[in-house]
Amino acid sequence: MQQETHPSILETCPIRNVIARLGNKWSLLVIHILAEHGVMRYGQLGREIPDISSRVLSGTLRTLEADGLVARKVYPVVPPRVEYRLTETGRSLVPLIDSLTAWAQNHMQTILSHRREFERRSK
């Protein structure tokens, strides 16, 4: 008798699925930068985010491309030229990122104050 398999909650829950992909340290920042600049080459993106490693930037771009948020175009030249841009789906996310950024800016001092108070009480 074969056991029936069910998809995980991550696969079937839209919010968990999307947040799992976008909730890392770099994805929203890459989307934000591409929204500001339009089309960018890999090296340009790396210079805009100097504290991201090449491996992590490549992985982030691959994930965003796999989800249809970023388009990658390779030109047949030597050395290879690769450009990245947001897709229509990626651009539709920008107003949400802008809202989240504004919220974070408006509440950051309060959040930091609460963290310090929590840490003080936890000692």
Side-chain angles (χ1 to χ4, degrees):
M1 176 183 238
Q2 189 171 1
Q3 185 175 3
E4 187 176 332
T5 60
H6 299 281
S8 77
I9 189 71
L10 181 61
E11 295 170 5
T12 59
C13 176
I15 187 95
R16 289 185 68 187
N17 185 289
V18 171
I19 295 301
R21 299 289 282 223
L22 296 177
N24 66 48
K25 187 175 178 180
W26 304 108
S27 293
L28 295 181
L29 183 58
V30 168
I31 292 168
H32 176 74
I33 289 170
L34 285 172
E36 283 185 346
H37 295 276
V39 177
M40 295 183 77
R41 293 178 67 178
Y42 180 86
Q44 292 173 297
L45 273 165
R47 285 189 294 280
E48 286 289 319
I49 315 170
D51 51 338
I52 191 172
S53 72
S54 181
R55 181 181 66 80
V56 171
L57 178 57
S58 293
T60 300
L61 288 166
R62 270 194 307 278
T63 298
L64 294 172
E65 182 182 9
D67 287 348
L69 302 174
V70 168
R72 178 177 182 263
K73 183 173 183 180
V74 180
Y75 293 89
V77 294
V78 177
R81 187 174 112 204
V82 180
E83 293 179 340
Y84 297 90
R85 65 171 177 77
L86 292 179
T87 63
E88 184 177 330
T89 304
R91 285 190 304 275
S92 74
L93 189 54
V94 172
L96 303 172
I97 295 170
D98 291 346
S99 292
L100 182 60
T101 300
W103 182 90
Q105 290 170 338
N106 289 334
H107 297 283
M108 191 64 196
Q109 291 307 313
T110 301
I111 291 169
L112 292 175
S113 175
H114 283 279
R115 285 180 188 170
R116 286 189 297 272
E117 178 60 24
F118 179 84
E119 289 172 11
R120 186 189 64 72
R121 286 192 323 259
S122 298
K123 289 183 179 183

